[in-house]
Amino acid sequence: MFLTSLLSSFFTYYEDLEGNEGYVYENVWTEYAEETLGKVFLWLVIVAAVLLVAVGIFIRFKKQEALAAYVKTALTASFGLGLAIGVTMITLEITKTFEKGYLDWAEGMLGLVLVPVCVVCGLLVLGIIATYVASFFDKKTFKITAIASLSAVGAAFVALLICLIVYYASGNAEYNNGAEISTSGNVILYISAILIIAVIIAGAFIFDKGTKGFDTKSISYAAVCIALSFALSYIKMWEMPYGGSITLASLLPLMIYSYMFGTKKGVMAGFIYGILQALQDPWLIHPAQFLLDYPIAFSAIGLAGMFAHVKALDKLPQVKFALGAIVACALRYVSHVFSGVFAFGTYAASYGYDSAWVYSLAYNSFVFVDVAIVIVVGIIVFSSKAFIKQISRYSSQTEKTEKTETSDAE
């Protein structure tokens, strides 16, 4: 009976005397679906992880020669699961935007924000899938596909930034979000974005001098880790009112990827993940704010592997991971804080804060709770000798590359 009523309500529109239209049960479909599917996906991910690990351990001891093939199969299955969860939840998010009429009053949001973001994210997903599939063919096919995908995404990303600049210049960005950005705040937003980008790039190269460029294996793992992190980001334990949430260790796959393949590749994977986050939780007021809250903030997560090759900590991989996670989290926090002060500072008064700095520092502290969960889970994972043995192969490849480059220089 309930399902019948729910179904009929989806097709039943009302119109009152003033001409206002809407669903009979306006918020039932998307909010109910998001809440229910969030719980379903939570248990689905947990059960899938337990089963994949259990089968992997069994194969490791019973038929070790089949372990490599199993890992590939498990990664493909994980990628498929992550992609399915991500696409489902994004679809619900877009449906909710239209269902609740968010675009009816927000002038310029559809053409200058939502559509460009959807295009970039769509090209990203298609590019990841195409590149992942191409990795099963010869190197030439893989290289051509990777270059074409990156070029398409890069062009779309530049177009998105141009659209955001036009959207901001029109004044609709601040009006639609009830914000007010001063001239000095506008300048500081751009300067802080440039400085944090410089710090991330410098850190990526300083702590990752010897790794080679992207290959089929690193691309495949990047696709899986981005998909898993994106899927886990929808399993929210707490959601903030103006963007941000505490999730079920959603950043763990990205951090492990950085630990395995190096900070340069980790930063790139985080950058891609950050763009996808813009579609999941779009709070876009200013072009530099978009960069600070999404691509830059999550690019910082790619620095989590910065201590992976510290010899003094070789017997303590848990400490290597935890230290990298803390540094990456701190830089992400700084990025969010600058955005909060100079783009969202107007909201401080509504929370009872006299200072935008105090407001932003307090509001964005959810980042530390989020990373604390990641560190706890990460320490458990990095305490597994089998796991360490598996990822040490990639670390040894990096060390060999570094030694070769050093000997060549001499």
Side-chain angles (χ1 to χ4, degrees), residues 207 259 305-311 314 320 395 398-399 402:
F207 293 98
Y259 193 97
M306 62 193 301
F307 296 103
H309 305 297
V310 177
K311 296 292 184 182
D314 277 347
K320 288 183 179 182
S395 298
T398 301
E399 291 172 2
E402 289 175 349

Side-chain angles (χ1 to χ4, degrees), residues 123-124 127 131 143-157 214 219 268 272:
L123 288 174
L124 266 175
T131 307
K143 187 175 182 180
I144 292 174
T145 305
I147 292 174
S149 299
L150 286 174
S151 300
V153 172
F157 183 72
F214 279 100
I219 287 286
M268 180 61 71
I272 294 172

Side-chain angles (χ1 to χ4, degrees), residues 85-104:
I85 293 175
V87 170
T88 300
M89 299 304 285
I90 282 179
T91 302
L92 282 174
E93 192 70 35
I94 294 175
T95 302
K96 183 169 70 175
T97 299
F98 285 96
E99 182 186 79
K100 291 192 172 184
Y102 291 156
L103 300 178
D104 294 343

Side-chain angles (χ1 to χ4, degrees), residues 40-99:
V40 171
F41 288 146
L42 168 62
W43 288 107
L44 181 61
V45 168
I46 292 175
V47 170
V50 171
L51 287 177
L52 288 174
V53 171
V55 173
I57 293 174
F58 177 80
I59 293 176
R60 166 70 176 78
F61 288 101
K62 290 295 183 180
K63 197 175 181 181
Q64 188 172 358
E65 64 273 14
L67 183 61
Y70 172 74
V71 169
K72 290 182 180 180
T73 303
L75 287 173
T76 302
S78 300
F79 175 73
L81 176 61
L83 188 63
I85 293 175
V87 170
T88 300
M89 299 304 285
I90 282 179
T91 302
L92 282 174
E93 192 70 35
I94 294 175
T95 302
K96 183 169 70 175
T97 299
F98 285 96
E99 182 186 79

Side-chain angles (χ1 to χ4, degrees), residues 387-404:
F387 176 79
I388 295 300
K389 184 178 180 180
Q390 182 71 17
I391 67 173
S392 64
R393 296 187 296 118
Y394 302 99
S395 298
S396 62
Q397 289 172 6
T398 301
E399 291 172 2
K400 288 179 181 178
T401 307
E402 289 175 349
K403 290 178 181 178
T404 301

